[in-house]
Amino acid sequence: MSETRILQVADDEMKEAVSEACALLRAGEIVGIPTETVYGLGADAFNPEAVAKVFAAKERPSFDPLIVHIASRGDLKNVAIVPAEIADTVNKLTAEFWPGPLTLILPKHPDVPDLVTSGLATVAVRQSAHPVFRAMCKELGRPIAAPSANRFGRISPTSASAVMKELEGRIPLIVDAGACSEGVESTIISIEPREGKKPIFRLHRAGPITKEQLQAFGKVEKVREIKADAPQAPGQLASHYAPLTPLTLLEKPSDFQPVEGKKYGLLSYTGDDEGAYVGLHDWEIIESLSPGSGKLAEAAIRLFYVMRLLDEAGLDEIIAEPVSETGLGVAIMDRLRRASFRS
Ligand code: TXA
Ligand code: MG
């Protein structure tokens, strides 16, 4: 593979871009595609050779399974077998949150290649709300397997140019529909039924659909703590979303012990001068997640973009300020902890 092309697409003239990208998918190629969360690296989910290219381009270990994206709720039966005990819950969740950033882990349909699920008996499924992604699933007429379009362990891309930086020369095409509207990857849950009670939702990854939103339908419980040596826990690797520059999540300002001569940049929440973090040091650079206003939704959208900016600023270390761990803040703090994890 040599050249990677960017194909710009505006909402009102989507058709041609969609057919061009789908032609590549049909030919067993892989394509960078926008979703509402982050850019995905898509392949025809039913074509194992195409799926293998996704793992190769990302340098992703084969034990880390992919998410399968479907065109409509009705297509769920083609990729998963929903057990009767949770059928009602699945119906309610998908009616409420699909299309959108909620991924469900369900028993896999035998047609889904083992490579997609890394040999697991379960498959992760969602319906993306992005108009381009939806149109591609529909036109292809088959589900699209797509992880985030970054090299393994690195920062997820929220723009076509970020995908280019991650995968240039490794994929033929990136469909560019501008910045992603959510900014962090989908919430992932599995469902455990309970006799006479609401089910338990195991939260495999915090994301845009918050615990508070899910609680109307079930009891949300964490899957497991972050552990360095738990590759059997797919995708929950302690170190992930990591910039090349070391990043430290500074839980409290008093923990900061700068080393003389080292260049530090601050990943601030609001960038407010009055804040305990901004005034802590003579930072080389300060980048804010939600400049001025301190809104978690804006912070989520900007998180990976700002991490990239700081990573490219020639610093010795990035210091990240925590955000409040409620609502979307849970997903943001999850990404910051993994980005800062050093074994
Ligand atoms: O928002 C998103 O989910 C984006 C867009 C492209 O849809 N995709 C994404 O994919 O974040 P990826 O591959 O970067 O993350 C998928 C996560 C991984 O942590 C993987 O381990 C987990 O989903 N996963 C996939 N199948 C699973 C399964 N059967 N059981 C448990 N975890 C699973
Ligand atoms: Mg990823």
Side-chain angles (χ1 to χ4, degrees), residues 33-41 58 60 63-69 101 103 105-106 116-117 120-126 128 133 146-150 156 184-188 204-205 208 224 233-237 240-241:
I33 316 171
T35 86
E36 73 278 40
T37 57
V38 301
Y39 273 70
L41 179 58
K58 279 184 62 100
R60 183 177 176 118
F63 62 71
D64 197 5
L66 309 183
I67 294 177
V68 170
H69 300 72
T103 296
I105 296 177
L106 295 165
V116 171
T117 60
L120 295 176
T122 53
V123 62
V125 192
R126 83 174 185 103
S128 169
F133 203 107
S148 50
N150 50 280
S156 298
V184 291
E185 304 85 347
S186 61
T187 304
I188 305 181
H204 293 246
R205 180 172 71 188
R224 55 182 84 82
Q236 292 303 300
L237 299 174
H240 217 93
Y241 315 105

